[in-house]
Amino acid sequence: MSGQSADDVSSDIQRRTAEHIFEVLGDLKGGAMKLGQALSVFEAALPEEFAEPYRATLTRLQQDAPPIPSATVHQVLATNLGSDWRNLFTSFDDSPAAAASIGQVHRAVWSDGRPVAVKVQYPGAGKALLTDFHQLARISRLFTVVMPGLELKPLLAELKDRIIEELDYGLEADAQQGFFDAYVDHPDFAIPGVVAGHEQVLISEWLTGRPLSEIITEGSQAERDRAGLLYIRFLLSGPELAGLLHADPHPGNFRILPDGRLAILDFGAVNRLPDGFPTAFGRLIQIGLRGDADSVRQSLVEEGFLRPDSELDPQQLLDFLLPSAEPARHERFAFNRDWLREEAQRLFDHSGGVVKDLNLPPSYMLIHRVIMAATGVLCQLEADVPVRGEVASWVPGFTD
């Protein structure tokens, strides 16, 4: 590297490290897809030379997922639905319509004539995912070379804890039914009705729409603004209307229907909040917007989220909160990648170690991750959204 400046050397190390990470992700399949979806916020924050290969890796993972052989699919259906499972359908397409990290979806027609989506879990998915996460934990330090300040281990631990829930499609069916009951006949949202839910098979009504990922790449500004509004409104309204927070907000789980409603297609990861968002969460957003780092620290101590003797710098705490709070400062906020890159750089530069010192309940950590991931998706959409009004409507404590 003779003759290179320090910046050139650092950039070269980052590039080589990113290439190695993408290579490992490409080998891990399911676990990598879960991590990649959870890190969607960082895709929008990465420099373009890293963001493009990152997107390409995730796309390849989704496209290259090998389908389950038909005989295996039939065996899983027989185990979960009974040996006469074919009698439940008037037709069943053996070719999968979509692949996911732990299963694949088939189109079928239920016995009453309804088009349905039949999600079938890969045999051995749980063991494979846990193996993937062990491997990701081993390379977690490499991510800090490309994304300095990123604390990946807490995120991996939280995702690993949720795998158990996601592997039980019966639990997912319960969550989906909860959302369906809360949003039935809603003018803005469509939740597919649950037809049957079992441990490894979930059958839902089929909804056809335009993928949110297509809106991101091809939508007009008006379409992206509308999609962004519905997207954030759904995520924020879930705890109050359904007692549930959708915790897997990556674009692949959302469609825009022909009638303009936002359809939500996957409910494997949810945060159960029967009393809605905690009031303290809204208060922390409001305090963060004041820009007073000392007040942020004192509020975290009063809520029991930070020890009084903690040596964390108040500015570190403020930097940790601001990317989630800043859009709520404005009546309308134009999300974009440049803003997110600046926020991410400040977060990486100044807030390292915050997560380890904070004593946040798991539900709060998950809320923070969902809001950060949603921020990333909104920046991918480059949507102009009336965020403040939505936060004020759905997050208690924010207007106190």
Side-chain angles (χ1 to χ4, degrees):
M1 297 184 184
S2 176
Q4 287 184 297
S5 68
D7 287 342
D8 289 339
V9 171
S10 176
S11 178
D12 187 60
I13 292 173
Q14 282 186 313
R15 179 182 58 78
R16 292 175 182 272
T17 303
E19 289 173 353
H20 179 60
I21 289 173
F22 299 144
E23 181 180 346
V24 173
L25 290 178
D27 291 337
L28 294 184
K29 305 298 182 185
M33 285 176 66
K34 283 293 177 192
L35 176 65
Q37 292 162 359
L39 289 177
S40 60
V41 60
F42 297 109
E43 182 274 321
L46 284 172
E48 190 57 31
E49 64 266 28
F50 300 137
E52 179 55 37
Y54 180 88
R55 287 193 293 266
T57 298
L58 291 184
T59 299
R60 187 171 64 255
L61 283 170
Q62 293 172 321
Q63 293 175 344
D64 293 348
I68 311 173
S70 297
T72 305
V73 172
H74 298 168
Q75 183 179 0
V76 174
L77 291 170
T79 300
N80 286 263
L81 304 179
S83 58
D84 59 346
W85 64 269
R86 285 193 179 276
N87 294 333
L88 300 173
F89 304 93
T90 60
S91 68
F92 182 89
D93 189 346
D94 281 338
S95 299
S101 55
I102 62 173
Q104 63 190 32
V105 178
H106 293 258
R107 296 195 69 155
V109 178
W110 196 240
S111 56
D112 61 6
R114 280 181 292 174
V116 293
V118 183
K119 185 155 69 169
V120 180
Q121 189 176 126
Y122 299 136
K127 182 178 180 180
L129 274 174
L130 290 175
T131 300
D132 283 358
F133 273 96
H134 287 313
Q135 179 68 3
L136 286 168
R138 291 176 58 189
I139 67 165
S140 60
R141 290 186 179 181
L142 294 179
F143 281 80
T144 62
V145 177
V146 182
M147 308 173 191
L150 172 63
E151 296 183 56
L152 190 61
K153 284 191 175 181
L155 174 59
L156 286 173
E158 189 256 307
L159 289 174
K160 186 176 177 182
D161 288 342
R162 307 204 74 80
I163 287 176
I164 298 175
E165 290 189 16
E166 290 197 51
L167 288 170
D168 188 341
Y169 285 176
L171 289 175
E172 180 176 350
D174 291 341
Q176 183 171 330
Q177 188 64 47
F179 275 108
F180 179 86
D181 293 341
Y183 289 94
V184 65
D185 298 326
H186 197 286
D188 291 332
F189 308 110
I191 311 297
V194 176
V195 177
H198 300 269
E199 186 175 352
Q200 295 175 301
V201 176
L202 175 58
I203 304 171
S204 309
E205 294 176 337
W206 184 276
L207 295 179
T208 298
R210 191 179 180 192
L212 190 60
S213 57
E214 184 179 311
I215 304 293
I216 289 174
T217 58
E218 301 176 13
S220 66
Q221 186 63 55
E223 289 173 327
R224 288 184 279 116
D225 290 348
R226 173 66 175 166
L229 172 60
L230 295 182
Y231 175 80
I232 195 63
R233 179 175 292 168
F234 171 74
L235 293 176
L236 294 180
S237 65
E240 178 173 324
L241 299 183
L244 299 164
L245 173 67
H246 191 285
D248 195 7
H250 73 91
N253 289 335
F254 299 87
R255 301 283 189 276
I256 298 294
L257 300 184
D259 62 10
R261 290 181 298 163
L262 180 70
I264 302 88
L265 304 182
D266 190 288
F267 302 86
V270 299
N271 189 4
R272 288 164 176 80
L273 299 171
D275 299 320
F277 277 118
T279 303
F281 180 68
R283 287 203 297 266
L284 287 173
I285 294 176
Q286 187 61 258
I287 291 169
L289 290 180
R290 296 175 192 167
D292 184 342
D294 290 326
S295 293
V296 170
R297 185 188 190 285
Q298 183 60 33
S299 298
L300 288 169
V301 170
E302 291 173 357
E303 295 291 347
F305 299 153
L306 185 69
R307 297 190 315 275
D309 61 349
S310 171
E311 296 182 359
L312 270 180
D313 178 32
Q315 188 62 44
Q316 286 181 288
L317 297 169
L318 182 59
D319 288 339
F320 179 76
L321 289 176
L322 268 182
S324 301
E326 181 61 26
R329 186 189 305 277
H330 314 275
E331 290 302 321
R332 298 191 68 90
F333 188 81
F335 290 88
N336 63 82
R337 294 171 186 267
D338 289 341
W339 167 79
L340 186 60
R341 288 185 182 117
E342 291 176 4
E343 290 296 303
Q345 189 61 54
R346 185 164 54 81
L347 180 68
F348 295 156
D349 287 346
H350 303 295
S351 62
V354 170
V355 172
K356 288 183 287 189
D357 251 42
L358 287 178
N359 184 34
L360 292 177
S363 61
Y364 277 61
M365 289 300 299
L366 185 54
I367 290 171
H368 185 264
R369 175 172 73 78
V370 169
I371 296 302
M372 289 293 287
T375 300
V377 173
L378 289 168
C379 287
Q380 292 172 21
L381 279 165
E382 296 190 327
D384 189 312
V385 181
V387 179
R388 185 177 182 87
E390 294 299 316
V391 175
S393 296
W394 303 112
V395 182
F398 177 72
T399 56
D400 291 351

PDB file of all heavy atoms in Angstrom, residues 198-228:
ATOM      1  N   HIS A 198     -50.921 -23.885  11.449  1.00  0.00           N
ATOM      2  CA  HIS A 198     -50.301 -25.028  12.109  1.00  0.00           C
ATOM      3  C   HIS A 198     -48.836 -24.714  12.355  1.00  0.00           C
ATOM      4  O   HIS A 198     -48.340 -23.660  11.940  1.00  0.00           O
ATOM      5  CB  HIS A 198     -50.460 -26.291  11.256  1.00  0.00           C
ATOM      6  CG  HIS A 198     -51.883 -26.655  10.990  1.00  0.00           C
ATOM      7  ND1 HIS A 198     -52.615 -27.490  11.799  1.00  0.00           N
ATOM      8  CD2 HIS A 198     -52.731 -26.247  10.000  1.00  0.00           C
ATOM      9  CE1 HIS A 198     -53.838 -27.611  11.321  1.00  0.00           C
ATOM     10  NE2 HIS A 198     -53.940 -26.869  10.224  1.00  0.00           N
ATOM     11  N   GLU A 199     -48.122 -25.608  13.013  1.00  0.00           N
ATOM     12  CA  GLU A 199     -46.750 -25.303  13.402  1.00  0.00           C
ATOM     13  C   GLU A 199     -45.857 -25.023  12.211  1.00  0.00           C
ATOM     14  O   GLU A 199     -45.015 -24.118  12.238  1.00  0.00           O
ATOM     15  CB  GLU A 199     -46.169 -26.449  14.222  1.00  0.00           C
ATOM     16  CG  GLU A 199     -44.780 -26.138  14.780  1.00  0.00           C
ATOM     17  CD  GLU A 199     -44.248 -27.230  15.698  1.00  0.00           C
ATOM     18  OE1 GLU A 199     -45.021 -28.157  16.015  1.00  0.00           O
ATOM     19  OE2 GLU A 199     -43.074 -27.148  16.094  1.00  0.00           O
ATOM     20  N   GLN A 200     -46.016 -25.756  11.113  1.00  0.00           N
ATOM     21  CA  GLN A 200     -45.136 -25.592   9.947  1.00  0.00           C
ATOM     22  C   GLN A 200     -45.876 -25.184   8.679  1.00  0.00           C
ATOM     23  O   GLN A 200     -45.257 -25.085   7.618  1.00  0.00           O
ATOM     24  CB  GLN A 200     -44.379 -26.898   9.690  1.00  0.00           C
ATOM     25  CG  GLN A 200     -43.413 -27.283  10.804  1.00  0.00           C
ATOM     26  CD  GLN A 200     -42.800 -28.640  10.540  1.00  0.00           C
ATOM     27  OE1 GLN A 200     -43.510 -29.648  10.416  1.00  0.00           O
ATOM     28  NE2 GLN A 200     -41.478 -28.689  10.445  1.00  0.00           N
ATOM     29  N   VAL A 201     -47.164 -24.937   8.781  1.00  0.00           N
ATOM     30  CA  VAL A 201     -47.963 -24.540   7.616  1.00  0.00           C
ATOM     31  C   VAL A 201     -48.909 -23.425   8.026  1.00  0.00           C
ATOM     32  O   VAL A 201     -49.602 -23.531   9.039  1.00  0.00           O
ATOM     33  CB  VAL A 201     -48.770 -25.724   7.050  1.00  0.00           C
ATOM     34  CG1 VAL A 201     -49.676 -25.253   5.908  1.00  0.00           C
ATOM     35  CG2 VAL A 201     -47.847 -26.833   6.565  1.00  0.00           C
ATOM     36  N   LEU A 202     -48.927 -22.353   7.242  1.00  0.00           N
ATOM     37  CA  LEU A 202     -49.848 -21.248   7.477  1.00  0.00           C
ATOM     38  C   LEU A 202     -50.560 -20.936   6.169  1.00  0.00           C
ATOM     39  O   LEU A 202     -49.919 -20.692   5.146  1.00  0.00           O
ATOM     40  CB  LEU A 202     -49.096 -20.012   7.972  1.00  0.00           C
ATOM     41  CG  LEU A 202     -49.922 -18.733   8.160  1.00  0.00           C
ATOM     42  CD1 LEU A 202     -51.070 -18.957   9.138  1.00  0.00           C
ATOM     43  CD2 LEU A 202     -49.026 -17.591   8.638  1.00  0.00           C
ATOM     44  N   ILE A 203     -51.890 -20.969   6.206  1.00  0.00           N
ATOM     45  CA  ILE A 203     -52.700 -20.726   5.010  1.00  0.00           C
ATOM     46  C   ILE A 203     -53.474 -19.428   5.201  1.00  0.00           C
ATOM     47  O   ILE A 203     -54.216 -19.276   6.173  1.00  0.00           O
ATOM     48  CB  ILE A 203     -53.667 -21.897   4.752  1.00  0.00           C
ATOM     49  CG1 ILE A 203     -52.878 -23.206   4.653  1.00  0.00           C
ATOM     50  CG2 ILE A 203     -54.467 -21.670   3.469  1.00  0.00           C
ATOM     51  CD1 ILE A 203     -53.754 -24.446   4.617  1.00  0.00           C
ATOM     52  N   SER A 204     -53.278 -18.490   4.274  1.00  0.00           N
ATOM     53  CA  SER A 204     -53.908 -17.175   4.354  1.00  0.00           C
ATOM     54  C   SER A 204     -54.563 -16.829   3.034  1.00  0.00           C
ATOM     55  O   SER A 204     -54.222 -17.390   1.986  1.00  0.00           O
ATOM     56  CB  SER A 204     -52.868 -16.091   4.675  1.00  0.00           C
ATOM     57  OG  SER A 204     -52.092 -16.418   5.790  1.00  0.00           O
ATOM     58  N   GLU A 205     -55.493 -15.896   3.097  1.00  0.00           N
ATOM     59  CA  GLU A 205     -56.093 -15.397   1.866  1.00  0.00           C
ATOM     60  C   GLU A 205     -55.020 -14.751   0.998  1.00  0.00           C
ATOM     61  O   GLU A 205     -54.110 -14.088   1.498  1.00  0.00           O
ATOM     62  CB  GLU A 205     -57.189 -14.377   2.197  1.00  0.00           C
ATOM     63  CG  GLU A 205     -58.384 -14.987   2.917  1.00  0.00           C
ATOM     64  CD  GLU A 205     -59.406 -13.951   3.329  1.00  0.00           C
ATOM     65  OE1 GLU A 205     -59.028 -12.776   3.470  1.00  0.00           O
ATOM     66  OE2 GLU A 205     -60.581 -14.310   3.513  1.00  0.00           O
ATOM     67  N   TRP A 206     -55.118 -14.958  -0.304  1.00  0.00           N
ATOM     68  CA  TRP A 206     -54.130 -14.418  -1.239  1.00  0.00           C
ATOM     69  C   TRP A 206     -54.464 -12.968  -1.569  1.00  0.00           C
ATOM     70  O   TRP A 206     -55.596 -12.635  -1.920  1.00  0.00           O
ATOM     71  CB  TRP A 206     -54.110 -15.247  -2.516  1.00  0.00           C
ATOM     72  CG  TRP A 206     -53.044 -14.808  -3.477  1.00  0.00           C
ATOM     73  CD1 TRP A 206     -53.123 -13.796  -4.392  1.00  0.00           C
ATOM     74  CD2 TRP A 206     -51.731 -15.341  -3.586  1.00  0.00           C
ATOM     75  NE1 TRP A 206     -51.938 -13.671  -5.073  1.00  0.00           N
ATOM     76  CE2 TRP A 206     -51.061 -14.612  -4.605  1.00  0.00           C
ATOM     77  CE3 TRP A 206     -51.050 -16.384  -2.937  1.00  0.00           C
ATOM     78  CZ2 TRP A 206     -49.745 -14.886  -4.978  1.00  0.00           C
ATOM     79  CZ3 TRP A 206     -49.743 -16.644  -3.313  1.00  0.00           C
ATOM     80  CH2 TRP A 206     -49.108 -15.899  -4.315  1.00  0.00           C
ATOM     81  N   LEU A 207     -53.468 -12.084  -1.431  1.00  0.00           N
ATOM     82  CA  LEU A 207     -53.629 -10.686  -1.802  1.00  0.00           C
ATOM     83  C   LEU A 207     -52.609 -10.354  -2.880  1.00  0.00           C
ATOM     84  O   LEU A 207     -51.409 -10.629  -2.720  1.00  0.00           O
ATOM     85  CB  LEU A 207     -53.421  -9.768  -0.591  1.00  0.00           C
ATOM     86  CG  LEU A 207     -54.445  -9.877   0.547  1.00  0.00           C
ATOM     87  CD1 LEU A 207     -54.083  -8.919   1.685  1.00  0.00           C
ATOM     88  CD2 LEU A 207     -55.851  -9.586   0.048  1.00  0.00           C
ATOM     89  N   THR A 208     -53.067  -9.760  -3.959  1.00  0.00           N
ATOM     90  CA  THR A 208     -52.188  -9.398  -5.067  1.00  0.00           C
ATOM     91  C   THR A 208     -51.993  -7.887  -5.084  1.00  0.00           C
ATOM     92  O   THR A 208     -52.970  -7.128  -5.064  1.00  0.00           O
ATOM     93  CB  THR A 208     -52.770  -9.854  -6.414  1.00  0.00           C
ATOM     94  OG1 THR A 208     -52.893 -11.277  -6.409  1.00  0.00           O
ATOM     95  CG2 THR A 208     -51.854  -9.450  -7.559  1.00  0.00           C
ATOM     96  N   GLY A 209     -50.744  -7.451  -5.096  1.00  0.00           N
ATOM     97  CA  GLY A 209     -50.477  -6.023  -5.123  1.00  0.00           C
ATOM     98  C   GLY A 209     -49.087  -5.722  -5.634  1.00  0.00           C
ATOM     99  O   GLY A 209     -48.316  -6.617  -5.981  1.00  0.00           O
ATOM    100  N   ARG A 210     -48.780  -4.463  -5.659  1.00  0.00           N
ATOM    101  CA  ARG A 210     -47.476  -3.997  -6.149  1.00  0.00           C
ATOM    102  C   ARG A 210     -46.494  -3.985  -4.985  1.00  0.00           C
ATOM    103  O   ARG A 210     -46.730  -3.314  -3.971  1.00  0.00           O
ATOM    104  CB  ARG A 210     -47.636  -2.593  -6.728  1.00  0.00           C
ATOM    105  CG  ARG A 210     -46.437  -2.087  -7.506  1.00  0.00           C
ATOM    106  CD  ARG A 210     -46.750  -0.703  -8.044  1.00  0.00           C
ATOM    107  NE  ARG A 210     -45.625  -0.155  -8.818  1.00  0.00           N
ATOM    108  CZ  ARG A 210     -45.547   1.108  -9.188  1.00  0.00           C
ATOM    109  NH1 ARG A 210     -46.537   1.960  -8.876  1.00  0.00           N
ATOM    110  NH2 ARG A 210     -44.509   1.536  -9.876  1.00  0.00           N
ATOM    111  N   PRO A 211     -45.384  -4.717  -5.074  1.00  0.00           N
ATOM    112  CA  PRO A 211     -44.434  -4.771  -3.956  1.00  0.00           C
ATOM    113  C   PRO A 211     -43.899  -3.392  -3.592  1.00  0.00           C
ATOM    114  O   PRO A 211     -43.670  -2.543  -4.470  1.00  0.00           O
ATOM    115  CB  PRO A 211     -43.313  -5.676  -4.480  1.00  0.00           C
ATOM    116  CG  PRO A 211     -43.936  -6.464  -5.588  1.00  0.00           C
ATOM    117  CD  PRO A 211     -44.954  -5.554  -6.203  1.00  0.00           C
ATOM    118  N   LEU A 212     -43.695  -3.174  -2.306  1.00  0.00           N
ATOM    119  CA  LEU A 212     -43.131  -1.905  -1.862  1.00  0.00           C
ATOM    120  C   LEU A 212     -41.741  -1.693  -2.462  1.00  0.00           C
ATOM    121  O   LEU A 212     -41.350  -0.548  -2.752  1.00  0.00           O
ATOM    122  CB  LEU A 212     -43.055  -1.871  -0.330  1.00  0.00           C
ATOM    123  CG  LEU A 212     -42.707  -0.526   0.311  1.00  0.00           C
ATOM    124  CD1 LEU A 212     -43.743   0.527  -0.050  1.00  0.00           C
ATOM    125  CD2 LEU A 212     -42.593  -0.676   1.831  1.00  0.00           C
ATOM    126  N   SER A 213     -41.001  -2.784  -2.670  1.00  0.00           N
ATOM    127  CA  SER A 213     -39.677  -2.662  -3.284  1.00  0.00           C
ATOM    128  C   SER A 213     -39.780  -2.073  -4.690  1.00  0.00           C
ATOM    129  O   SER A 213     -38.877  -1.345  -5.140  1.00  0.00           O
ATOM    130  CB  SER A 213     -38.996  -4.030  -3.344  1.00  0.00           C
ATOM    131  OG  SER A 213     -39.801  -4.967  -4.056  1.00  0.00           O
ATOM    132  N   GLU A 214     -40.874  -2.354  -5.395  1.00  0.00           N
ATOM    133  CA  GLU A 214     -41.073  -1.788  -6.730  1.00  0.00           C
ATOM    134  C   GLU A 214     -41.403  -0.304  -6.648  1.00  0.00           C
ATOM    135  O   GLU A 214     -40.981   0.493  -7.494  1.00  0.00           O
ATOM    136  CB  GLU A 214     -42.187  -2.546  -7.460  1.00  0.00           C
ATOM    137  CG  GLU A 214     -42.410  -2.105  -8.886  1.00  0.00           C
ATOM    138  CD  GLU A 214     -43.510  -2.898  -9.577  1.00  0.00           C
ATOM    139  OE1 GLU A 214     -43.467  -4.149  -9.493  1.00  0.00           O
ATOM    140  OE2 GLU A 214     -44.406  -2.269 -10.190  1.00  0.00           O
ATOM    141  N   ILE A 215     -42.160   0.072  -5.624  1.00  0.00           N
ATOM    142  CA  ILE A 215     -42.453   1.493  -5.416  1.00  0.00           C
ATOM    143  C   ILE A 215     -41.148   2.245  -5.152  1.00  0.00           C
ATOM    144  O   ILE A 215     -40.939   3.359  -5.633  1.00  0.00           O
ATOM    145  CB  ILE A 215     -43.421   1.689  -4.232  1.00  0.00           C
ATOM    146  CG1 ILE A 215     -44.716   0.898  -4.435  1.00  0.00           C
ATOM    147  CG2 ILE A 215     -43.716   3.166  -4.007  1.00  0.00           C
ATOM    148  CD1 ILE A 215     -45.562   1.371  -5.564  1.00  0.00           C
ATOM    149  N   ILE A 216     -40.250   1.621  -4.391  1.00  0.00           N
ATOM    150  CA  ILE A 216     -38.962   2.249  -4.079  1.00  0.00           C
ATOM    151  C   ILE A 216     -38.167   2.524  -5.350  1.00  0.00           C
ATOM    152  O   ILE A 216     -37.589   3.603  -5.513  1.00  0.00           O
ATOM    153  CB  ILE A 216     -38.155   1.352  -3.116  1.00  0.00           C
ATOM    154  CG1 ILE A 216     -38.797   1.360  -1.721  1.00  0.00           C
ATOM    155  CG2 ILE A 216     -36.691   1.804  -3.033  1.00  0.00           C
ATOM    156  CD1 ILE A 216     -38.166   0.392  -0.742  1.00  0.00           C
ATOM    157  N   THR A 217     -38.141   1.568  -6.268  1.00  0.00           N
ATOM    158  CA  THR A 217     -37.290   1.699  -7.452  1.00  0.00           C
ATOM    159  C   THR A 217     -37.971   2.387  -8.625  1.00  0.00           C
ATOM    160  O   THR A 217     -37.298   3.030  -9.437  1.00  0.00           O
ATOM    161  CB  THR A 217     -36.793   0.317  -7.912  1.00  0.00           C
ATOM    162  OG1 THR A 217     -37.932  -0.531  -8.178  1.00  0.00           O
ATOM    163  CG2 THR A 217     -35.939  -0.331  -6.835  1.00  0.00           C
ATOM    164  N   GLU A 218     -39.303   2.267  -8.720  1.00  0.00           N
ATOM    165  CA  GLU A 218     -39.981   2.749  -9.923  1.00  0.00           C
ATOM    166  C   GLU A 218     -41.132   3.721  -9.650  1.00  0.00           C
ATOM    167  O   GLU A 218     -41.680   4.295 -10.598  1.00  0.00           O
ATOM    168  CB  GLU A 218     -40.543   1.550 -10.712  1.00  0.00           C
ATOM    169  CG  GLU A 218     -39.488   0.540 -11.135  1.00  0.00           C
ATOM    170  CD  GLU A 218     -40.096  -0.667 -11.826  1.00  0.00           C
ATOM    171  OE1 GLU A 218     -41.297  -0.601 -12.186  1.00  0.00           O
ATOM    172  OE2 GLU A 218     -39.386  -1.669 -11.999  1.00  0.00           O
ATOM    173  N   GLY A 219     -41.511   3.910  -8.399  1.00  0.00           N
ATOM    174  CA  GLY A 219     -42.684   4.720  -8.096  1.00  0.00           C
ATOM    175  C   GLY A 219     -42.461   6.206  -8.316  1.00  0.00           C
ATOM    176  O   GLY A 219     -41.347   6.724  -8.190  1.00  0.00           O
ATOM    177  N   SER A 220     -43.535   6.919  -8.648  1.00  0.00           N
ATOM    178  CA  SER A 220     -43.478   8.372  -8.746  1.00  0.00           C
ATOM    179  C   SER A 220     -43.340   8.954  -7.341  1.00  0.00           C
ATOM    180  O   SER A 220     -43.507   8.257  -6.338  1.00  0.00           O
ATOM    181  CB  SER A 220     -44.753   8.904  -9.402  1.00  0.00           C
ATOM    182  OG  SER A 220     -45.875   8.665  -8.552  1.00  0.00           O
ATOM    183  N   GLN A 221     -43.033  10.249  -7.257  1.00  0.00           N
ATOM    184  CA  GLN A 221     -42.904  10.873  -5.940  1.00  0.00           C
ATOM    185  C   GLN A 221     -44.215  10.776  -5.171  1.00  0.00           C
ATOM    186  O   GLN A 221     -44.222  10.505  -3.960  1.00  0.00           O
ATOM    187  CB  GLN A 221     -42.483  12.340  -6.075  1.00  0.00           C
ATOM    188  CG  GLN A 221     -42.188  13.021  -4.738  1.00  0.00           C
ATOM    189  CD  GLN A 221     -41.011  12.393  -4.019  1.00  0.00           C
ATOM    190  OE1 GLN A 221     -39.924  12.297  -4.582  1.00  0.00           O
ATOM    191  NE2 GLN A 221     -41.216  11.956  -2.784  1.00  0.00           N
ATOM    192  N   ALA A 222     -45.340  10.983  -5.852  1.00  0.00           N
ATOM    193  CA  ALA A 222     -46.639  10.889  -5.181  1.00  0.00           C
ATOM    194  C   ALA A 222     -46.886   9.477  -4.661  1.00  0.00           C
ATOM    195  O   ALA A 222     -47.403   9.292  -3.548  1.00  0.00           O
ATOM    196  CB  ALA A 222     -47.755  11.311  -6.144  1.00  0.00           C
ATOM    197  N   GLU A 223     -46.514   8.469  -5.441  1.00  0.00           N
ATOM    198  CA  GLU A 223     -46.697   7.082  -5.001  1.00  0.00           C
ATOM    199  C   GLU A 223     -45.797   6.761  -3.814  1.00  0.00           C
ATOM    200  O   GLU A 223     -46.218   6.083  -2.871  1.00  0.00           O
ATOM    201  CB  GLU A 223     -46.395   6.126  -6.162  1.00  0.00           C
ATOM    202  CG  GLU A 223     -47.437   6.157  -7.264  1.00  0.00           C
ATOM    203  CD  GLU A 223     -47.033   5.339  -8.473  1.00  0.00           C
ATOM    204  OE1 GLU A 223     -45.814   5.257  -8.774  1.00  0.00           O
ATOM    205  OE2 GLU A 223     -47.929   4.790  -9.142  1.00  0.00           O
ATOM    206  N   ARG A 224     -44.567   7.272  -3.839  1.00  0.00           N
ATOM    207  CA  ARG A 224     -43.649   7.001  -2.736  1.00  0.00           C
ATOM    208  C   ARG A 224     -44.089   7.731  -1.466  1.00  0.00           C
ATOM    209  O   ARG A 224     -43.978   7.189  -0.362  1.00  0.00           O
ATOM    210  CB  ARG A 224     -42.224   7.381  -3.137  1.00  0.00           C
ATOM    211  CG  ARG A 224     -41.636   6.391  -4.148  1.00  0.00           C
ATOM    212  CD  ARG A 224     -40.190   6.677  -4.497  1.00  0.00           C
ATOM    213  NE  ARG A 224     -40.078   7.735  -5.503  1.00  0.00           N
ATOM    214  CZ  ARG A 224     -39.504   8.901  -5.309  1.00  0.00           C
ATOM    215  NH1 ARG A 224     -38.985   9.191  -4.119  1.00  0.00           N
ATOM    216  NH2 ARG A 224     -39.436   9.792  -6.271  1.00  0.00           N
ATOM    217  N   ASP A 225     -44.609   8.950  -1.618  1.00  0.00           N
ATOM    218  CA  ASP A 225     -45.100   9.683  -0.451  1.00  0.00           C
ATOM    219  C   ASP A 225     -46.300   8.971   0.170  1.00  0.00           C
ATOM    220  O   ASP A 225     -46.394   8.842   1.401  1.00  0.00           O
ATOM    221  CB  ASP A 225     -45.504  11.105  -0.842  1.00  0.00           C
ATOM    222  CG  ASP A 225     -44.314  11.982  -1.204  1.00  0.00           C
ATOM    223  OD1 ASP A 225     -43.172  11.563  -0.934  1.00  0.00           O
ATOM    224  OD2 ASP A 225     -44.537  13.074  -1.777  1.00  0.00           O
ATOM    225  N   ARG A 226     -47.213   8.523  -0.665  1.00  0.00           N
ATOM    226  CA  ARG A 226     -48.402   7.827  -0.170  1.00  0.00           C
ATOM    227  C   ARG A 226     -48.019   6.515   0.506  1.00  0.00           C
ATOM    228  O   ARG A 226     -48.509   6.185   1.589  1.00  0.00           O
ATOM    229  CB  ARG A 226     -49.359   7.560  -1.336  1.00  0.00           C
ATOM    230  CG  ARG A 226     -50.569   6.692  -1.014  1.00  0.00           C
ATOM    231  CD  ARG A 226     -51.511   7.351  -0.057  1.00  0.00           C
ATOM    232  NE  ARG A 226     -52.719   6.532   0.147  1.00  0.00           N
ATOM    233  CZ  ARG A 226     -53.595   6.738   1.126  1.00  0.00           C
ATOM    234  NH1 ARG A 226     -53.415   7.738   1.981  1.00  0.00           N
ATOM    235  NH2 ARG A 226     -54.654   5.970   1.236  1.00  0.00           N
ATOM    236  N   ALA A 227     -47.122   5.769  -0.123  1.00  0.00           N
ATOM    237  CA  ALA A 227     -46.678   4.503   0.461  1.00  0.00           C
ATOM    238  C   ALA A 227     -45.974   4.743   1.798  1.00  0.00           C
ATOM    239  O   ALA A 227     -46.176   3.995   2.767  1.00  0.00           O
ATOM    240  CB  ALA A 227     -45.751   3.763  -0.503  1.00  0.00           C
ATOM    241  N   GLY A 228     -45.150   5.790   1.860  1.00  0.00           N
ATOM    242  CA  GLY A 228     -44.452   6.101   3.102  1.00  0.00           C
ATOM    243  C   GLY A 228     -45.408   6.454   4.226  1.00  0.00           C
ATOM    244  O   GLY A 228     -45.215   6.034   5.377  1.00  0.00           O
TER     245      GLY A 228
END
